[in-house]
């Protein structure tokens, strides 16, 4: 029986998940591939001993040993971050090894170098686990939807942020406590600000956009806002407006320009994405031939993500065995057919908005606020003022009809500078149902 030898760099949450999956699914993979796919070496800087069931696998602290080991066919990089991950991946490629990575930060920033080197060397780079945890979203986009112009991408792709928002919504649990639980469950990034500030979501959207449109995008081109400013009051008010707050990755394809944005969004409860709870992810594509497609599953966690890494390893093993390495281009489009595209400036977007400001509870305040909105041609859909007090500040909440982002930006700037406004103005975009 043909044997494929895999070297794993990084025995953290996902690395352990891969080892578990390759072990628990060993017989099934033999029946499905006719090959023995063996974890032949593990490198991790801080792990001293492997769990009992993996003790026969050689362990080193030096990833370079694996990259330079001529016995290994595939290197799996699961250490995360840019360096030393990039050096290890580039050296593995230069050595003619196939690479599998879950490293969304690396691919969304340095993907151009990595994919160019891999194409030149004729090796594969699998990255299914970089977006959507266990959901086979990359394969769906590259293969299942290959005969489509992708018209839009919309998704919940950060399990930690969705877990936090869900528990804040369902239990009124405080942000900090829920974040700690997400860290314990192994969902959160090493630096959880990546989850909370939307950076991890932007990494993933950059990867999806690149393969959906055949347009090289880095996460730095994506307008990104996180969930840190969302307060329990906003969640409660969203409920009153028939919405749930979700951290969404959004891209619409306008042909010569494409939207690229990550921000908290008020999603109407009737929308499918409003019901995605906990660490679950969901990615919605609209294709010109297929129509609407929704992929749903666990977007983080040890074994689900291990399942996605294992799928890439199996894909590569099959391609090695059948002599069809490179059959599917890494980015779905052939390297010579990738085309840069303009990113739609945020100021040009239209949509309804929710905003909340804290105002002194005195006559004339509402007239001032509505006057500024009218001046910027922003039409109000509804207004709520909570908690009347004799003296003091109260939250004033406004929902607008569809307005231009640049007008909202200018109006909220003016409102924020009013003497009667005593705190920052919180703005949340509302998802318009199509
Ligand atoms: N921190 C990520 C999340 C892990 O919470 O979704 C999966 O990419």
């Amino acid at each position: 029986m043909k044997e494929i030898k895999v070297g794993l760099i990084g025995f953290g949450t996902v690395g352990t998940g891969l080892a578990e999956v390759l072990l628990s699914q060993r017989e099934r993979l033999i029946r499905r591939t006719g090959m023995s796919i063996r974890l032949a070496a593990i490198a991790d800087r801080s792990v001293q001993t492997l769990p009992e069931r993996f003790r026969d696998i050689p362990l080193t602290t030096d990833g370079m040993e694996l990259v330079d080991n001529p016995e290994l066919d595939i290197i799996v990089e699961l250490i995360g971050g840019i360096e030393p991950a990039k050096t290890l991946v580039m050296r593995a490629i230069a050595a003619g090894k196939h690479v599998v990575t879950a490293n969304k930060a690396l691919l969304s920033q340095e993907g151009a170098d990595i994919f160019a080197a891999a194409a030149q060397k004729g090796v594969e780079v699998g990255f299914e686990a970089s977006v959507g945890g266990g959901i086979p979203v990359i394969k769906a986009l590259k293969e299942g939807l290959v005969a489509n112009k992708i018209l839009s991408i919309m998704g919940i792709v950060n399990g930690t942020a969705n877990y936090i928002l869900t528990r804040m919504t369902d239990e009124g649990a405080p942000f900090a406590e829920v974040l700690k639980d997400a860290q314990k469950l192994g969902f959160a990034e090493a630096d959880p600000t990546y989850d909370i500030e939307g950076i991890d979501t932007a990494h993933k959207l950059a990867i999806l956009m690149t393969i959906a449109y055949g347009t090289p995008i880095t996460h730095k081109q994506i307008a990104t806002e996180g969930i840190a400013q969302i307060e329990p009051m906003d969640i409660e008010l969203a409920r009153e407006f028939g919405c749930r707050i979700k951290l969404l990755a959004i891209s619409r394809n306008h042909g010569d320009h494409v939207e690229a944005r990550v921000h908290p969004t008020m999603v109407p409860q009737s929308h499918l994405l409003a019901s995605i709870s906990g660490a679950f992810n969901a990615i919605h594509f609209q294709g010109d031939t297929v129509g609407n497609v929704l992929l749903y599953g666990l977007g983080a966690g040890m074994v689900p993500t291990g399942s996605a890494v294992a799928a890439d390893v199996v894909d590569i093993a099959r391609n090695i065995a059948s002599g069809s390495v490179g059959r599917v281009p890494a980015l779905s489009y052939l390297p010579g057919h990738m085309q840069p595209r303009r990113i739609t400036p945020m100021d040009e977007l239209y949509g309804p908005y929710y905003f909340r400001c804290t105002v002194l509870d005195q006559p004339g305040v509402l007239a001032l606020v509505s006057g500024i909105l009218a001046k910027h041609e922003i039409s109000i859909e509804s207004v709520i003022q909570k908690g009347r007090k004799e003296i003091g500040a109260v939250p004033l909440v406004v929902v607008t009809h569809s307005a231009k982002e640049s007008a909202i930006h200018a109006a909220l700037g003016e409102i924020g500078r009013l003497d009667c406004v005593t705190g920052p103005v919180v703005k949340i975009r509302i998802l318009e149902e199509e």
Side-chain angles (χ1 to χ4, degrees):
M1 186 163 52
K2 185 171 175 60
E3 187 173 67
I4 296 291
K5 296 192 192 72
V6 179
L8 166 61
I9 307 177
F11 197 72
T13 303
V14 181
T16 306
L18 172 67
E20 296 288 359
V21 169
L22 289 181
L23 184 65
S24 69
Q25 303 295 317
R26 186 174 159 72
E27 294 309 316
R28 185 179 317 280
L29 292 179
I30 289 173
R31 283 167 54 213
R32 284 184 159 159
T33 67
M35 285 178 279
S36 160
I37 296 173
R38 186 163 71 83
L39 199 47
I42 296 177
D44 192 288
R45 272 185 181 170
S46 51
V47 173
Q48 308 296 323
T49 44
L50 293 170
E52 184 61 40
R53 57 200 175 285
F54 304 126
R55 286 276 163 79
D56 58 336
I57 304 172
L59 173 69
T60 171
T61 51
D62 183 6
M64 282 297 174
E65 269 181 39
L66 271 57
V67 165
D68 292 339
N69 180 346
E71 295 285 300
L72 300 175
D73 304 290
I74 302 173
I75 294 293
V76 178
E77 180 278 304
L78 296 175
I79 55 177
I82 306 298
E83 283 297 352
K86 184 177 180 189
T87 301
L88 289 162
V89 163
M90 293 299 273
R91 190 147 149 182
I93 292 170
K97 290 185 168 41
H98 306 282
V99 170
V100 174
T101 177
N103 193 333
K104 51 261 164 132
L106 178 66
L107 294 180
S108 64
Q109 186 176 309
E110 306 293 326
D113 289 354
I114 291 167
F115 291 113
Q120 206 236 335
K121 199 72 192 177
V123 297
E124 301 223 359
V125 178
F127 52 100
E128 183 61 71
S130 65
V131 183
I135 308 169
V137 58
I138 302 293
K139 198 173 183 74
L141 204 45
K142 281 168 62 171
E143 300 189 43
L145 300 177
V146 68
N148 277 265
K149 173 182 176 183
I150 301 299
L151 303 172
S152 68
I153 304 166
M154 196 176 307
I156 293 170
V157 290
N158 184 272
T160 302
N162 203 48
Y163 178 82
I164 291 173
L165 289 172
T166 301
R167 288 200 46 204
M168 284 175 77
T169 304
D170 294 349
E171 302 164 29
F175 186 95
E177 180 191 310
V178 187
L179 172 60
K180 267 195 209 129
D181 288 348
Q183 286 173 299
K184 269 190 231 144
L185 289 163
F187 306 152
E189 293 302 297
D191 178 354
T193 57
Y194 277 39
D195 300 294
I196 291 155
E197 290 176 4
I199 300 162
D200 178 75
T201 300
H203 289 152
K204 292 165 177 169
L205 180 60
I207 294 170
L208 292 178
M209 288 177 68
T210 300
I211 58 176
Y213 306 143
T215 294
I217 306 274
T218 73
H219 71 96
K220 292 180 181 151
Q221 294 169 273
I222 297 177
T224 305
E225 293 171 22
I227 60 168
Q229 88 283 15
I230 305 290
E231 294 198 5
M233 187 193 305
D234 300 308
I235 289 178
E236 196 40 51
L237 285 159
R239 204 196 309 270
E240 285 184 33
F241 289 116
C243 294
R244 287 173 82 99
I245 299 176
K246 295 287 178 192
L247 182 64
L248 291 193
I250 300 175
S251 175
R252 291 196 178 89
N253 183 356
H254 299 285
D256 60 339
H257 60 104
V258 289
E259 291 174 29
R261 49 193 172 110
V262 168
H263 49 72
T265 310
M266 286 185 33
V267 181
Q269 269 158 15
S270 56
H271 194 285
L272 281 171
L273 291 178
S275 60
I276 309 304
S277 296
F280 281 89
N281 282 193
I283 304 109
H284 177 269
F285 297 112
Q286 202 187 357
D288 65 344
T289 55
V290 73
N292 294 309
V293 173
L294 182 73
L295 300 166
Y296 168 77
L298 268 175
M302 180 188 286
V303 180
T305 313
S307 152
V309 178
D312 274 342
V313 168
V314 170
D315 244 1
I316 294 172
R318 283 175 164 156
N319 288 346
I320 294 171
S322 63
S324 53
V325 165
R327 188 183 69 85
V328 180
L331 297 176
S332 189
Y333 288 76
L334 291 165
H337 289 265
M338 298 292 286
Q339 285 172 346
R341 214 95 67 93
R342 188 170 76 89
I343 303 291
T344 318
M346 288 297 281
D347 270 357
E348 291 177 14
L349 299 176
Y350 281 85
Y353 292 77
Y354 156 103
F355 72 88
R356 172 176 59 80
C357 50
T358 308
V359 297
L360 294 176
D361 192 6
Q362 61 192 25
V365 169
L366 192 53
L368 278 175
V369 170
S370 59
I372 293 172
L373 293 175
K375 189 175 83 184
H376 291 278
E377 296 184 357
I378 297 165
S379 159
I380 296 174
E381 197 213 87
S382 50
V383 179
I384 297 181
Q385 187 197 296
K386 292 278 186 188
R388 178 91 166 82
K389 290 187 189 136
E390 283 304 309
I391 305 168
V394 290
L396 174 69
V397 178
V398 176
V399 168
T400 74
H401 288 294
S402 186
K404 197 172 184 187
E405 174 107 2
S406 55
I408 289 282
H409 192 78
L412 297 193
E414 273 187 52
I415 290 169
R417 289 190 292 277
L418 289 173
D419 288 340
C420 58
V421 172
T422 61
V425 182
V426 174
K427 168 195 77 187
I428 306 176
R429 296 171 186 85
I430 301 175
L431 186 68
E432 265 186 306
E433 297 216 59
E434 289 172 11

